[in-house]
Amino acid sequence: MSNTKNSQDSQSSQKSQDSQDSRTSNDNETARKRPNPMEVLRQARGQLAELTGMEAESVSSFEQTEDGWALEVEVLELERVPDTMSLMASYQVELDSDGQLTGYRRVRRYERGRSDARRSGGR
């Protein structure tokens, strides 16, 4: 009877270990599947270009949010000569925690050669 008991205890211990290994493996896979910030930037630029037909020239802001990621991406909307007269646009881009684009909108349009107007206090 003691051999049967030891055998059952051994099997139970093995199942417990297998279950723990499985959880650890799943946790590691989840951690590996989450994109790092550079992967998120690449994915965002590629997905925005695919949806709008415009290539991203730069990313002017990037932050992790509760729901995923938020970026502001600068794109060339209309190329002109001279280049300083080309029309640029800033797009606010939102991605989920996996780096998949969930929404975007244009927040600003400007000529490449122009800087933002500065506001001075009281003038």
Side-chain angles (χ1 to χ4, degrees):
M1 186 85 133
S2 67
N3 283 344
T4 305
K5 172 88 169 102
N6 288 341
S7 179
Q8 288 173 344
D9 288 347
S10 177
Q11 287 175 354
S12 177
S13 175
Q14 183 62 41
K15 286 179 183 176
S16 176
Q17 182 64 36
D18 289 347
S19 176
Q20 188 175 14
D21 289 347
S22 177
R23 279 194 303 271
T24 302
S25 176
N26 287 341
D27 290 346
N28 289 341
E29 285 178 26
T30 300
R32 273 184 269 150
K33 287 181 183 176
R34 284 191 194 131
N36 67 44
M38 288 308 296
E39 290 171 337
V40 171
L41 287 172
R42 284 187 206 100
Q43 288 178 350
R45 291 172 63 130
Q47 291 175 68
L48 184 66
E50 190 173 336
L51 288 169
T52 64
M54 296 177 284
E55 291 294 321
E57 289 205 355
S58 65
V59 176
S60 56
S61 73
F62 176 72
E63 67 179 311
Q64 191 166 14
T65 65
E66 289 180 12
D67 299 326
W69 305 88
L71 297 82
E72 192 160 316
V73 180
E74 310 300 316
V75 301
L76 174 64
E77 282 206 337
L78 181 61
E79 192 169 8
R80 292 186 176 159
V81 176
D83 189 48
T84 55
M85 297 303 291
S86 293
L87 287 179
M88 303 292 295
S90 292
Y91 282 82
Q92 183 177 347
V93 179
E94 296 173 6
L95 299 103
D96 63 17
S97 59
D98 295 326
Q100 297 302 306
L101 195 139
T102 59
Y104 72 93
R105 67 185 176 100
R106 185 173 65 196
V107 293
R108 185 170 153 242
R109 197 170 190 206
Y110 57 97
E111 290 177 340
R112 186 189 294 271
R114 305 241 180 193
S115 63
D116 289 337
R118 288 190 161 189
R119 292 184 180 154
S120 55
R123 290 190 195 178

